[in-house]
Amino acid sequence: MIHQLTLSDVLAEHARSRPQVTAVVDGEVRLTYPELDERVTRLANALAARGVTAGERVLWLGRNAHAVLELLLASSRLGAIFCPANWRQSADELAFVLDDLAPKVVVWERSEAAAPLSGDGWILAGADYEAFLAGGSAEAVPEPTGDTAPGGDTVPAGDTVPGGDAASAGDAAPVLALYTAAFDGRPNAALLSSAALVAHSASLLVVRQMEPGFTFLNNGPLFHVGTMMFCLATFQIGGTNVFTPAFDAEEVCRLIDAEKVTQAFLFGQMIDAVVATNAGGKYDLSSLRFISHSDEWDAMTTVDDSPWCRSKMGGYGQTEVGGMLTFLGLAPGAAGFAGRPSPLVQVRLLDDSGAEVPPGEAGEICARGKSIFSGYFNRPELNAARTRGGWHHTGDLGRREPDGTITFIGPRLRMIKSGNENVYPAEVERALKIHPAVADAAVIGVPDERWHQAVKAVVVLRDGQAASEEEIVEHVKGTLASYKKPRHVVFAESIPKKGFTPDYDALDAAHGGGNYPGS
Amino acid sequence: MIHQLTLSDVLAEHARSRPQVTAVVDGEVRLTYPELDERVTRLANALAARGVTAGERVLWLGRNAHAVLELLLASSRLGAIFCPANWRQSADELAFVLDDLAPKVVVWERSEAAAPLSGDGWILAGADYEAFLAGGSAEAVPEPTGDTAPGGDTVPAGDTVPGGDAASAGDAAPVLALYTAAFDGRPNAALLSSAALVAHSASLLVVRQMEPGFTFLNNGPLFHVGTMMFCLATFQIGGTNVFTPAFDAEEVCRLIDAEKVTQAFLFGQMIDAVVATNAGGKYDLSSLRFISHSDEWDAMTTVDDSPWCRSKMGGYGQTEVGGMLTFLGLAPGAAGFAGRPSPLVQVRLLDDSGAEVPPGEAGEICARGKSIFSGYFNRPELNAARTRGGWHHTGDLGRREPDGTITFIGPRLRMIKSGNENVYPAEVERALKIHPAVADAAVIGVPDERWHQAVKAVVVLRDGQAASEEEIVEHVKGTLASYKKPRHVVFAESIPKKGFTPDYDALDAAHGGGNYPGS
């Protein structure tokens, strides 16, 4: 027990240490930490009465609301798993999630996609949720199984990758499930433990230099780790989370002014929209301590000098590492734009055999450490593959630069084997796209008598630009090791895509791809 | 494996992420992180050849040197336990430590106290240490037992309090032993795991807002957690540790200037000495970003605005919690001068039955969380007592103020039971000492027919000051609950002391103390 710290524990401490601090603002709702703590206890008891025990799942299907944080903390209090689902999904996609996660309780906002799926155990957000919560007892929730599995036996905490069972307990038990965008095939629910989330928050506290009083405006989607990670770090330091259903420039301005918001989930065009909305200076946005963006923005807000803001928020991350794995802010003047690892993780660039590749060579970004996830819910085979050799395999390619910093190359979707050398299409594609005449490019492997496979580039030229096959090959040779250069270049009108990535099956079919290792 | 992060792992990452960063400066020695990593590997292999396996102890007996960090990291690489012992101790005290810890290897600087104790396995710091290290292989050290105990069985990681065996492994295994000042009786070696040290470093990184490039001058004693915790946090963020044998104002000035030191172990009279030494402005100390102290000091250095420096470094801590448990910097404008807990721990004020006392009442400061120690080496009974109810009992008294912040009252050495109420001498003594006529005071319990025990105050008045018994009692009544006021007051010339605390046995004998609960 002594070394445990669940999200529920953090709340219990804040209720004592910060009796007068506002934990949550959502429309008319304002809750201090003791008030939030009491509501979470009632909610946990109400969920328990519906059969939510350790390892069971609770689903939220709606826009941002303080109920998201309450359901997460109540799940932590019970040792259960909370999933804020993407409410923008289609009915088919939602049906898949419901079948996959089999939640005991769903709290939902009425929507076209969700309505036909609703049934037993579904609670409408708003008045029904309030009544459900109010019906729960305010008595202290018994601590969940602690360091013992539901069966009563002691299990090792920390290193178990559960495949649907609550195989680990205490703060190593999964508490948050976030579905990750699948490049290929069905989505998977990444499970994050309290220990991982607390560690990830600590790394954000360090890099963003967050302090008590930090006020975060949750205007990005909470089913995405990018917003959730700042919500949790704000919670961890005992700050204030302000919730708004979605981005609306006027409402964002009003809330920053009214709640003295320190940071919001804003970038690019959202910032431009805020600047345009507040051109007349109607709202005081000076409480916002954030990145530099434009002269108008910088004049309205306070440009922050923390490593996070200074570095334009760069780094490499994914849901499976709790959010960020590396930070540009930890590598001032870095060669690699992903920067350096968080102080709580290790990173290795590994080849297919699990051996480390030397600096300058592309390898899969692999990680160990305090913020790494606990595996995907109910995906034992995928979990075994992603954790082989005791390292979390991100599925992404990267490279160490001479200064030790990391460059993110792209998703490691495929590998070509040419003359016993590994060639990752993403790396060659990245080199091709640097050429000024190239608008888009994809790389496949074609059978080759001498080399087993040869690299073939499918290139789309920019309108009005020209480049020869030789010129393209020479360009890649100037950037990468010679064996990675294309032996064949074909020009095409467009690259077929699956989501954001090339459709390699279609490309293989169209351009003679084959002989891939393992095929 | 995936969630582990030992100190050895942190070094392995830095060697990759920071190939050009200086890890260590010590006299003529300058080591980059890869150089430090290679030396630590050689040292670990050399120690292994001397029989240092997981759980074995390695002792350093000398002043500050980079060898301290190397021996700690090499011990982590082996799963062993490193102890930097107090080299100022007498031969008798050293003999006790050697007998208690039974180290396999001792690295020492020749001293009067240590010389008669030296024997097999003792290596002289300097040339002998260098030769020993150089004799170790540069081959990678096999990872220690990971998540399995030496016997090969899987053990629960994280929550085991070892009593001399390596009962837990991975980053939950003890790696650092620091002897703690015993108020009463023999000293004990507090065991800190990599997980606890890494977590504590994270809390310091947050509160001190440490960044890469942070350069810490180790001029305080490394056998004390106050210096060690900053050495380790600097290591964690990939900064530079500068070592100097001990405080010397001129040398401190020279090193701050030459190494662009960010922070040193300086306070009070040490700062005054630095100011006097550098009155002529011989050295540029502007790289130091530290606390405000005096006009001269503030002009020489850069006053830092991090919560740590802003708060005059206040807080409550002890070796057993890794250093700091609470930080004044996390509680701007706090009522309690110990501030609020680190974001990685929970604190409870508990009475003797293990129940939480309400705000405003004194209770024992108890803690759980990521940075708490693993127990004392070879003290199973003490460990059981200190961890009862699943909380680490600090042995100190504190109180929650209405704003949730914590006030440290004093060591909980004794308890008086009066009319079924608990009265802690330290709390009454603190109230007595606020009286302007009181120079010193101690409180004991004397047998009482009606109340079982009654509170008796032994008071030393200031020279030339007077106060009646009634006045003293009324003063305490105005500060504390009525049942805590002394029923008897005696005036004395002085309070007998054991170290810094009253000698209660002597006071009982002199003033009729007795009937203590449990006696």
Side-chain angles (χ1 to χ4, degrees), chain A residues 1-3 13 16-17 147 158-159 171 209 211 236 310 340-341 343 347 356 369-370 372-373 400 404, chain B residues 1-3 13 16-17 147 158-159 171 209 211 236 310 340-341 343 347 356 369-370 372-373 390 400 404:
Chain A
M1 301 297 287
I2 279 181
H3 300 113
E13 177 58 43
R16 290 162 172 84
S17 285
D147 285 328
D159 280 346
D171 66 4
Q209 296 185 338
E211 293 186 32
Q236 188 78 25
R310 199 190 298 157
R340 290 199 171 101
V347 172
E356 194 171 2
K370 309 313 281 181
I372 309 300
F373 81 143
R400 289 266 188 197
Chain B
M1 301 296 287
I2 279 182
H3 300 114
E13 177 59 44
R16 290 160 172 84
S17 286
D147 286 328
D159 281 348
D171 65 5
Q209 297 186 338
E211 294 185 32
Q236 188 78 24
R310 201 191 295 159
R340 292 200 171 99
V347 172
E356 195 170 2
K370 309 312 283 181
I372 310 299
F373 81 143
R400 288 264 188 201

Side-chain angles (χ1 to χ4, degrees), chain B residues 429 441-444 458 494-496 502-513:
Chain B
E429 288 161 6
V443 163
I444 60 172
V458 184
S494 67
I495 304 291
D503 182 342
Y504 289 108
D505 293 333
L507 285 162
D508 285 343
H511 301 285

Side-chain angles (χ1 to χ4, degrees), chain A residues 252-303:
Chain A
V252 162
C253 288
R254 191 189 70 75
L255 285 168
I256 292 170
D257 187 349
E259 304 298 338
K260 302 278 164 273
V261 164
T262 319
Q263 186 176 314
F265 190 75
L266 297 174
F267 48 85
Q269 296 183 331
M270 296 160 96
I271 293 182
D272 295 334
V274 166
V275 167
T277 301
N278 200 39
K282 180 175 171 191
Y283 300 104
D284 176 3
L285 309 186
S286 62
S287 63
L288 210 67
R289 297 184 59 93
F290 207 38
I291 55 164
S292 171
H293 176 79
S294 61
D295 289 347
E296 296 91 330
W297 169 258
D298 293 1
M300 279 180 198
T301 64
T302 306
V303 176

